[in-house]
């Protein structure tokens, strides 16, 4: 894997790290947490905060894996993760809802249209914000947003750009 | 330019009363509680001096009192470190262009005997290591004097807007700036800790069994701190790398940029190139974007990103390129940085002709590593050893962080470059160990030391800890 | 086999090596650490002729001539920027008037000046309680690093051998004749040994079993240097006995260098807080503008003191051939060129025209102490 020379993971690399990705069926059931944390670093808040013990980690330096069946989609891991490396994906019809941390200004509002950015910051489309957990309500001091987008972008989009006139 | 909005920080709340200072006779608006150089930067003044011999412009570099880049004449006093000296209404600040002249009008001052502070444990440095040492030494029963030459406690925590890693009981998931607040609050709660800010430790000496720390408060008052034990937690200083024009104003140590924008809410510039893709460089890039500054690229000479992958991913998804196997060839600009020239390097670290890229930037951030501040430990005669894995020369010590001189302890980056999390754990160990060595703490406290040692071992057990462990092997003795 | 082996690579040792090599002698210098590391590189840099006895005045007058010559020949900094003694009492003035008379007799142009004249020379001076000053513009100062390295370089150029990190362990004397010197780097066979180790002289004398008492004892003296300021603000060496024997001047680089007279017997070189406080306290009375300056470094070196503060220079008759050139009591640096010249003459010709009889190493044994040489710092 050469994610360390590029600074991002490809979907193939992610599959290799996580063993398997959640099934389409699981993705349609309810939101599921996806850790994009392929490197052994001494960090455990995701495991510590998870209410259902869905985050698996053998030791503090282990790579976090998610038991997709145990995951209830509460987004606490997205809120707490110091590396801003947890996301949630939920398929709804022909749309996907991606939940992600957003520590930049402005924080978008519900209903606002935002530009979708992939893992290398390229603009790949537009989406609509459907949920915002503001910083003061976040359990991890990080605002979290859920953005609805075309289903085929769900595994590419990891940030948004808010453009206001 | 001053920042008004920030996703994490609130500067409006922090800024004190408006005052006026004078730069070369011109009035400049400043706020109480900020240092001279911050007010100057907010007013767009980046050239602080000209060198004595070659008349080259000098700008800020470290911003934490560890280098000579910001020396200016303040109220007639030459060579004042303007990065750690607070503004005062009516202050007169001038640039130094030659070695300064002494004032011929000075009157012989009255000698004032120094203030004497007696404590069980004297702690030098109020960063994560020093604060934790103070808290635990105090809880173990010791009377503590804590000094720091900066105007605020927290060390480098005060500019860390990112959330920390580790375990939640070690503050994982909490922002550095918040950790600083928590620790400061804990220190203030304890009546047996006395804090001395704006107080530099200029010497560490032994008087029989007593340790003497000679302090200078606010550049003028002599203060003597005596204790049965001393903990040196003086942190680190930023490294520099050689390239053409590496002294142009606008080339900062990464930490200085964090101080500007995160501690004092001053925008360091508009377009930035970062050298070094270790954690500091990666985190800095994200913090710059949060402050509304454009990051053009991160340049890294190694073929791989040295910091945590997740920090890299955070800035990649916001469109910041990371150029591995690249180096900076030179900076260009007249009085300050106007552009940077970068090139690819080959296996022998030589620039490949024809691969030059030009970045139009006004700031170049150097995030090329740190070296431990061991000056006081060296001066008092602790044994020193070179351990590149720990950032350079460090002191020999035992597992409880006692140096080769009985009663003198070390903790945090001054013991070897690592993380704030490990600095806090080391501070805890040193604080308790010092209280034990001073004959104050009861033996039950040994358990707390063992607990912290276990946590340290655990933190260092991953691939990122390997290098540190290799360094520690060289300098930790039984 | 070396004709002369000099123990001690301070400025005295290397300057003597130069003088002997110039006279065609095979010379070896043995230095325990590196050239200048003992006391030379720790010295206060001053060179003066303002002494209170005929011998030292004449000797130092010649030394200044040599400093001038060698600084030009070898290219190291030596400036005749003068020595300014600040006088605060009538008794002091009386003493200095007598000294000046003596100095003038031997052609040293010292004169008594008013406080105002002193302030013209050093405008930063606080002359509040100053009654007069003793001023000799031909005294001066030199860069101890560059000067010592220059003598070493020139000596080597002429064939002298200088061994650094070579510690003398023993001196082999058979039937009153020197055979050689044992060191950590092996045996050096030689017929003549010069003890130029100053503060360590008694240890070397003991190795050679010198049969007479030459009381030379090490005393720690400390000095400071401040951050550099515009040079030329304090040109002369400024002396005040009132302020605990303070001396201070500005280096070419701009730092203020100097010290006060706190001394401690023994071989320890740890700088003390007591000194730091004392030097600050005294210096700001002499030059108040120094109050806003930072001290960059404090360090210590040895004065190798004799009971009359005059060195012991001469041949030890009972050992064939052993010379003592030590005990400079704080004047070793300033005296080095003339001592080298005089001792080289002693070794090669058996005599010198300089009044070295004053430094006779047998005087202690005979109980004939000299009048105490003027010492400061």
């Amino acid at each position: 894997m050469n994610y360390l020379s590029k600074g991002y993971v490809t979907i193939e690399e992610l599959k290799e790290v996580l063993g398997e990705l959640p099934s389409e069926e699981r993705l349609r059931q309810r939101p599921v947490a996806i850790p994009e944390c392929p490197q052994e670093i001494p960090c455990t808040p995701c495991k510590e905060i998870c209410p259902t013990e869905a985050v698996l980690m053998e030791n503090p330096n282990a790579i976090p894996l998610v038991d997709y069946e145990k995951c209830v989609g509460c987004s606490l891991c997205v809120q707490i993760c110091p590396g801003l490396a947890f996301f949630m994906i939920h398929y709804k019809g022909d749309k996907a809802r991606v939940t992600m941390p957003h520590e930049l200004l402005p924080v978008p509002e519900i209903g606002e249209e935002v530009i979708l950015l992939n893992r290398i910051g390229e603009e790949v489309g537009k989406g609509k914000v459907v949920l915002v957990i503001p910083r003061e309500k976040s359990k991890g001091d990080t605002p979290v947003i859920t953005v609805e987008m075309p289903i085929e972008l769900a595994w590419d989009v990891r940030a948004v750009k808010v453009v206001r006139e | 330019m001053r920042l008004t909005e920030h996703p994490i920080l609130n500067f409006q709340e922090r800024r004190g009363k408006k005052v006026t200072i004078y730069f070369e006779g011109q009035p400049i608006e400043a706020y109480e509680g900020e240092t001279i150089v911050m007010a100057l930067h907010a007013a767009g003044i980046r050239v602080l001096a000209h060198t004595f011999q070659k008349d080259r412009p000098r700008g800020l570099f470290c911003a934490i009192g560890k280098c000579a880049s910001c020396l200016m004449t303040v109220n007639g006093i030459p060579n004042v470190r303007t990065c750690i000296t607070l503004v005062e209404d009516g202050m007169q600040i001038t640039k130094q262009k030659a070695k300064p002249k002494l004032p011929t009008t000075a009157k012989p001052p009255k000698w004032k005997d120094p203030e004497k502070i007696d404590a069980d444990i004297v702690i030098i440095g109020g960063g994560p290591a020093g604060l934790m040492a103070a808290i635990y030494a105090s809880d173990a029963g010791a009377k503590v004097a804590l000094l720091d030459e900066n105007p605020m406690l927290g060390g480098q925590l005060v500019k860390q807007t990112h959330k920390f890693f580790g375990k939640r009981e070690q503050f994982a998931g909490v922002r550095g700036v918040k950790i600083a607040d928590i620790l400061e609050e804990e220190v203030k709660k304890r009546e047996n800790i006395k804090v001395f800010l704006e107080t530099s430790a200029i010497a560490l000496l032994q008087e029989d069994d007593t340790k003497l720390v000679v302090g200078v408060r606010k550049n003028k008052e002599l203060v003597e701190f005596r204790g049965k034990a001393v903990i040196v937690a003086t942190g680190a200083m930023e490294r520099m790398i050689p390239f053409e024009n590496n002294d142009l104003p606008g080339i900062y140590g990464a930490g200085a940029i964090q101080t500007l924008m995160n501690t004092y809410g001053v925008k360091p510039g508009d377009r930035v190139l970062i050298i070094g893709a270790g954690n500091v460089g990666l985190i800095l890039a994200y913090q710059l974007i949060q402050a509304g500054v454009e990051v053009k690229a991160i340049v890294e000479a190694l073929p791989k990103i040295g910091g945590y992958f997740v920090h890299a991913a955070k800035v990649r998804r916001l469109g910041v390129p990371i150029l591995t196997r690249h180096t900076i060839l030179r900076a260009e600009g007249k009085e300050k940085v106007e552009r940077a020239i970068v090139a690819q390097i080959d296996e022998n670290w030589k620039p490949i002709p024809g691969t030059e890229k030009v970045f139009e930037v006004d700031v170049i951030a150097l995030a090329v590593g740190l070296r431990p501040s061991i000056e006081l430990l060296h001066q008092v005669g602790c044994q020193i050893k070179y351990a590149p894995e720990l950032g350079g020369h460090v002191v020999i010590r035992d597992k409880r962080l006692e140096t080769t001189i009985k009663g003198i302890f070390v903790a945090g980056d001054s013991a070897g470059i690592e993380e704030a999390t490990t600095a806090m754990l080391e501070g805890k160990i040193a604080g308790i160990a010092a209280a034990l060595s001073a004959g104050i703490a009861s033996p039950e406290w040994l358990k707390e030391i063992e607990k912290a040692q276990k946590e340290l071992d655990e933190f260092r057990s991953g691939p990122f800890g390997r290098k540190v462990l290799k360094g520690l092997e060289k300098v930790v003795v039984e | 086999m070396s004709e002369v082996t000099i123990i001690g690579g301070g400025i005295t040792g290397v300057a003597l090596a130069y003088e002997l090599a110039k006279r065609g002698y095979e010379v070896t210098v043995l230095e325990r650490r590196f050239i200048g590391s003992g006391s030379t590189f720790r010295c206060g840099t001053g060179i003066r002729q303002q002494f209170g006895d005929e011998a030292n005045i004449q000797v130092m007058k010649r030394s200044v001539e040599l400093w001038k010559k060698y600084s030009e020949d070898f290219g190291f900094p030596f400036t005749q920027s003068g020595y300014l003694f600040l006088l605060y009492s009538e008794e002091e003035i009386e003493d200095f008037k007598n000294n000046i008379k003596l100095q003038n007799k031997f052609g040293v142009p010292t004169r008594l000046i008013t406080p105002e004249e002193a302030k013209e020379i050093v405008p930063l001076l606080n002359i509040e309680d100053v009654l007069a000053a003793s001023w000799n513009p031909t005294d001066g100062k030199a860069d101890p690093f560059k000067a010592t390295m220059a003598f070493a370089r020139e000596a080597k150029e002429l064939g002298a051998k200088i061994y650094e990190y070579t510690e003398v362990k023993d001196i082999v004397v058979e039937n009153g004749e020197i055979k050689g010197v044992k060191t950590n780097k092996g045996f050096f066979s030689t017929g003549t040994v010069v003890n130029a180790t100053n503060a360590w002289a008694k240890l070397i004398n003991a190795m050679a079993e010198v049969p007479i008492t030459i009381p030379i004892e090490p005393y720690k003296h400390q000095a400071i240097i401040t951050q550099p300021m515009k040079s030329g603000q304090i040109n002369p060496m400024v002396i005040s006995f009132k302020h605990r024997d303070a001396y201070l001047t500005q280096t070419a680089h701009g730092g203020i260098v100097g010290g006060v007279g706190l001394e401690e017997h023994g071989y320890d070189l740890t700088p003390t807080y007591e000194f730091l406080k004392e030097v600050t306290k005294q210096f700001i009375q002499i030059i108040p503008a120094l109050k806003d300056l930072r001290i960059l470094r404090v360090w210590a070196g040895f004065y190798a003191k004799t009971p009359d503060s005059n060195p012991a220079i001469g041949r030890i008759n009972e050992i064939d051939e052993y010379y003592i050139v030590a005990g400079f009591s704080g004047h070793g640096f300033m005296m080095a060129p003339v001592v080298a010249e005089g001792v080289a003459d002693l070794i090669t010709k058996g005599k010198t025209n300089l009044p070295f009889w004053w430094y006779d190493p047998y005087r202690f044994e005979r109980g004939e102490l000299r009048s105490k040489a003027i010492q400061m710092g």
Side-chain angles (χ1 to χ4, degrees):
Chain A
M1 276 188 268
N2 63 346
Y3 60 85
L4 272 182
S5 55
K6 309 186 308 274
Y8 65 94
V9 281
T10 60
I11 197 73
E12 289 71 30
E13 285 170 336
L14 195 59
K15 267 185 207 158
E16 206 177 306
V17 171
L18 297 179
E20 54 170 344
L21 299 180
S23 63
E24 165 130 15
E25 192 195 347
R26 172 64 188 84
L27 285 161
R28 290 192 176 279
Q29 261 171 17
R30 57 181 189 275
V32 62
I34 308 292
E36 300 201 357
C37 185
Q39 188 184 31
E40 288 176 279
I41 55 174
C43 190
T44 60
C46 53
K47 175 185 154 83
E48 292 180 81
I49 204 167
C50 181
T52 63
E53 295 187 351
V55 179
L56 312 169
M57 212 184 240
E58 273 171 29
N59 64 66
N61 273 284
I63 294 164
L65 301 175
V66 171
D67 181 331
Y68 305 126
E69 292 314 311
K70 277 191 188 169
C71 174
V72 291
C74 69
S75 90
L76 282 175
C77 51
V78 185
Q79 295 171 42
I80 193 81
C81 176
L84 311 188
F86 265 80
F87 302 87
M88 285 197 319
I89 300 178
H90 186 198
Y91 287 175
K92 272 199 144 184
D94 60 348
K95 300 277 186 199
R97 288 179 168 191
V98 177
T99 301
M100 61 185 92
H102 185 88
E103 283 192 343
L104 303 170
L105 288 182
V107 176
E109 286 165 14
I110 292 175
E112 191 168 347
E113 194 182 65
V114 292
I115 294 168
L116 305 172
L117 304 176
N118 67 8
R119 290 188 182 85
I120 53 171
E122 291 166 342
E123 298 182 5
V124 291
K126 282 180 180 166
K128 199 172 85 178
V129 175
V130 294
L131 188 72
V132 175
I133 303 172
R135 189 178 166 202
E136 53 282 9
K137 291 206 176 138
S138 165
K139 291 285 177 286
D141 201 27
T142 293
V144 167
I145 59 173
T146 303
V147 184
E148 195 171 78
M149 62 190 72
I151 201 161
E152 61 275 16
L153 292 178
W155 292 91
D156 279 340
V157 172
R158 289 298 173 264
V160 301
K161 190 155 105 184
V162 182
V163 183
R164 286 178 188 169
E165 286 308 307
Chain B
M1 209 184 96
R2 288 180 193 277
L3 298 170
T4 47
E5 272 195 325
H6 193 279
I8 307 298
L9 304 164
N10 183 340
F11 298 112
Q12 305 310 92
E13 243 171 41
R14 285 202 220 166
R15 281 178 188 135
K17 208 178 87 191
K18 229 181 232 184
V19 294
T20 305
I21 60 171
Y22 296 86
F23 170 71
E24 304 279 328
Q26 294 300 308
I28 282 169
E29 194 175 86
Y31 292 94
E32 271 181 359
E34 68 186 4
T35 59
I36 295 167
V37 86
M38 296 298 142
L40 294 180
H41 266 71
I45 296 155
R46 294 217 272 183
V47 179
L48 309 175
H50 288 263
T51 61
F52 302 159
Q53 295 195 12
K54 299 204 166 150
D55 195 33
R56 290 178 70 85
R58 274 284 168 273
L60 184 65
F61 181 72
C62 84
I64 51 169
K66 301 222 179 194
C67 75
S69 217
C70 71
L71 299 185
M72 301 179 83
T73 297
V74 177
N75 290 340
I77 299 177
N79 297 344
V80 173
R81 286 180 289 176
T82 55
C83 72
I84 57 166
T85 305
L86 294 175
V87 296
E88 282 168 23
D89 198 29
M91 231 173 203
Q92 296 284 347
I93 295 127
T94 51
K95 282 200 271 190
Q96 294 177 177
K97 290 189 174 168
K99 286 178 195 164
K101 276 186 92 159
L102 289 161
T104 47
T105 51
K107 291 265 168 300
K110 262 221 150 60
W111 176 263
K112 215 175 94 196
D113 276 323
E115 186 182 344
K116 289 181 169 58
I117 306 294
D118 286 310
D120 296 317
I121 298 170
V122 181
I123 300 174
I124 307 167
L131 289 170
M132 284 290 270
I135 291 164
Y136 278 92
S138 148
D139 287 354
K143 194 174 147 194
V144 176
L146 172 67
L147 58 146
D148 194 298
E149 62 181 353
N150 285 279
M152 62 182 78
L153 284 176
Q156 309 316 302
L157 288 173
V158 300
K159 54 203 192 189
Q160 303 310 337
T161 53
H162 66 285
K163 298 192 283 192
F164 275 47
F165 291 61
K167 287 198 212 171
R168 292 191 80 194
E169 63 169 334
Q170 302 159 346
F171 298 112
V174 183
R175 298 184 194 284
V177 61
K178 177 77 186 155
I179 300 173
D181 288 344
I182 295 168
L183 295 181
E184 184 177 355
E185 217 35 60
E186 289 296 321
V187 162
K188 280 188 181 155
K189 264 191 229 162
R190 289 163 172 78
E191 279 176 11
N192 57 355
I193 305 177
K194 251 191 128 182
V195 176
F196 298 81
L197 293 174
E198 294 180 78
T199 307
S200 306
I202 61 160
L204 173 53
L205 300 155
Q206 303 208 77
E207 293 177 336
D208 300 320
D209 285 343
T210 306
K211 315 288 174 214
L212 166 67
V213 176
V214 182
V216 174
R217 186 155 60 196
K218 294 194 172 189
N219 291 325
K220 43 185 175 260
E221 278 169 71
L222 200 55
V223 191
E224 295 173 4
F225 297 90
R226 282 185 179 78
K228 298 185 187 93
V230 167
I231 302 170
V232 177
T234 44
M237 88 165 275
E238 213 115 28
R239 284 186 183 281
M240 178 47 119
I241 49 164
F243 59 90
E244 197 179 327
N245 287 331
N246 68 356
D247 62 339
L248 268 185
I251 299 174
Y252 303 100
I257 295 178
Q258 294 182 321
T259 299
L260 276 162
M261 67 182 175
N262 294 345
T263 308
Y264 295 100
V266 176
K267 209 172 163 182
D270 295 317
R271 297 167 311 279
V272 181
L273 179 75
I274 297 175
I275 313 298
N279 273 335
V280 174
L282 297 171
I283 289 169
L284 178 71
Y286 193 70
Q287 292 177 348
L288 280 161
I289 297 167
Q290 286 181 313
V293 180
E294 192 186 346
V295 179
K296 290 285 189 187
I298 303 173
V299 173
E300 170 61 57
L302 292 168
K304 270 192 343 183
I305 290 156
Y308 292 170
F309 164 77
V310 290
H311 284 314
K314 262 161 58 181
V315 294
R316 290 293 281 124
R317 70 176 83 114
L318 298 175
V320 178
I322 300 175
L323 308 174
T324 50
R325 271 265 174 252
H326 276 71
T327 193
I328 180 165
L329 294 181
R330 65 181 179 276
E332 289 181 353
K334 213 165 161 248
E335 280 272 285
K336 45 194 167 189
V337 173
E338 286 163 28
R339 72 194 68 80
I341 319 296
V342 166
Q344 210 179 321
I345 51 175
D346 63 21
E347 269 79 65
N348 302 314
W349 303 80
K350 293 270 175 292
I352 302 170
T355 61
E356 293 85 358
K357 295 180 187 67
V358 179
F359 289 94
E360 301 288 333
V361 292
D362 58 352
V363 171
I364 298 170
L366 299 184
V368 292
L370 302 164
R371 76 163 176 79
S373 294
I374 60 158
E375 291 80 359
L376 288 166
L377 294 158
H378 200 176
Q379 173 256 308
V380 71
C382 296
Q383 265 186 53
I384 309 289
K385 202 168 175 186
Y386 184 65
E389 302 86 355
L390 300 174
H393 288 91
V394 291
V395 287
I396 307 270
R397 71 288 192 136
D398 65 13
K399 284 204 160 115
R400 292 189 205 166
L401 295 148
E402 189 165 17
T403 66
T404 49
I405 297 179
K406 199 178 155 19
I408 296 181
F409 295 78
V410 66
D413 272 357
S414 52
I417 307 302
E418 215 177 339
E419 300 272 335
T421 309
T422 51
M424 286 187 272
L425 288 168
E426 286 190 340
K428 177 178 169 179
I429 295 169
I432 299 169
L436 282 163
S437 112
I440 294 158
S442 63
E444 290 101 79
W445 281 96
L446 279 171
K447 276 185 224 133
E448 281 295 316
I449 290 187
E450 279 161 22
K451 198 178 145 221
Q453 282 168 339
K454 233 186 97 194
E455 286 180 60
L456 270 179
D457 289 345
E458 208 173 63
F459 194 94
R460 291 167 176 158
S461 65
F464 274 90
R466 252 169 239 152
K467 196 172 112 184
V468 171
L469 289 175
K470 202 175 149 208
L472 290 175
E473 257 171 43
K474 297 181 183 171
V475 299
V476 177
V477 294
E478 284 308 312
Chain C
M1 173 82 191
S2 176
E3 284 177 280
V4 180
T5 296
I6 301 166
I7 306 175
I11 188 157
T12 303
V14 295
L16 177 59
Y18 164 75
E19 292 287 354
L20 286 169
K22 200 167 68 176
R23 286 159 174 75
Y25 272 58
E26 273 176 35
V27 201
T28 298
V29 178
L30 304 177
E31 164 55 44
R32 187 174 58 159
R33 291 180 64 213
F34 54 89
I35 292 299
S37 62
S39 302
T40 304
F41 287 177
R42 300 161 184 271
C43 82
T45 77
I47 294 159
R48 79 179 137 97
Q49 301 149 88
Q50 295 190 58
F51 276 84
D53 60 83
E54 296 192 2
N56 278 310
I57 293 169
Q58 291 176 77
V59 164
M60 277 313 299
K61 185 161 182 284
R62 175 63 184 155
S63 201
V64 166
E65 285 166 17
L66 292 171
W67 273 111
K68 203 161 174 277
K69 173 179 158 46
Y70 288 134
S71 65
E72 284 162 11
D73 291 355
F74 302 166
F76 61 80
F78 162 71
T79 52
Q80 284 182 291
S81 41
Y83 255 66
L84 186 66
F85 284 80
L86 302 174
L87 309 175
Y88 295 86
S89 73
E90 291 303 334
E91 296 98 293
E92 256 189 318
I93 292 176
E94 270 323 295
D95 278 355
F96 271 81
K97 273 185 181 163
N98 289 331
N99 294 345
I100 289 169
K101 218 180 277 168
L102 205 57
Q103 288 158 20
N104 291 167
K105 182 180 150 191
F106 291 102
V108 176
T110 313
R111 61 197 169 90
L112 202 68
I113 61 172
T114 64
E116 290 70 28
E117 286 175 297
K119 203 170 167 65
E120 269 172 42
I121 296 164
V122 181
L124 297 171
L125 273 187
N126 168 26
I127 53 165
E128 228 164 272
D129 298 318
V130 177
L131 298 180
S134 176
W135 166 241
N136 172 25
T138 68
D139 291 341
K141 57 197 177 193
D143 182 323
F145 305 97
K146 290 184 177 155
T148 311
M149 295 322 284
F151 278 113
R153 183 191 65 224
E154 296 294 328
K156 279 194 251 181
E157 195 92 330
L158 295 172
K161 297 205 166 53
I162 299 178
Y163 294 88
E164 293 180 291
Y165 295 97
T166 305
E167 186 174 357
V168 172
K169 298 288 189 188
D170 200 10
I171 296 167
V172 181
V173 186
E174 280 170 18
N175 304 322
E177 234 179 76
I178 289 187
K179 295 291 173 198
V181 176
K182 282 186 192 164
T183 77
N184 62 337
K185 299 265 173 83
F187 184 77
F188 289 79
S189 100
T190 184
T192 303
V193 161
V194 180
N195 178 357
T197 59
N198 212 26
W200 295 270
K202 64 176 177 185
L203 309 177
I204 300 297
N205 283 348
M207 288 178 196
E209 293 175 16
V210 172
I212 57 162
T213 305
I214 307 172
I216 297 172
E217 288 297 323
Y219 285 84
K220 168 164 82 180
H221 277 249
Q222 301 175 59
I224 56 150
I225 190 156
T226 69
Q227 55 189 183
M229 303 298 286
K230 189 178 167 52
S231 53
Q233 296 185 86
I234 309 169
N235 287 324
M237 186 68 77
V238 179
I239 311 282
S240 168
F241 289 120
K242 185 195 170 197
H243 296 97
R244 286 202 79 161
D245 301 349
Y247 69 95
L248 65 90
T249 190
Q250 195 177 18
T251 66
H253 180 60
I256 314 299
V257 68
V260 290
L262 250 72
E263 64 178 23
E264 212 179 291
H265 183 230
Y267 279 116
D268 172 62
L269 278 180
T270 313
T272 64
Y273 176 52
E274 191 197 355
F275 171 80
L276 207 50
K277 255 197 308 195
E278 195 58 32
V279 79
T280 311
K281 203 170 173 173
Q282 303 302 342
F283 275 19
I284 59 179
Q285 295 304 319
I286 302 167
I287 297 191
L290 298 180
K291 74 183 164 67
D292 293 325
L293 270 192
R294 275 190 188 77
I295 293 169
L296 288 186
R297 284 188 295 284
V298 54
W299 69 92
F302 293 121
Y303 278 20
K305 283 180 64 167
T306 62
D308 57 16
S309 293
N310 284 291
I313 300 174
R315 186 169 181 272
I316 302 302
N317 302 323
E318 294 84 348
I319 305 170
D320 191 24
E321 295 261 304
Y322 186 90
Y323 292 85
I324 176 81
V325 185
F328 287 95
S329 307
H331 309 132
F333 180 66
M334 63 176 78
M335 287 184 155
V338 70
V339 165
E341 184 184 67
V343 173
D345 284 347
L346 280 181
I347 293 171
T348 58
K349 299 183 218 155
K351 64 179 173 57
T352 163
N353 297 331
L354 294 157
F356 274 24
W357 59 270
W358 184 259
Y359 310 128
D360 180 1
Y362 285 84
R363 70 184 187 275
F364 309 105
E365 190 88 352
R366 293 194 209 109
E368 290 169 9
L369 290 195
R370 310 303 184 210
S371 60
K372 210 168 168 73
I374 296 173
Q375 181 205 305
M376 72 262 321

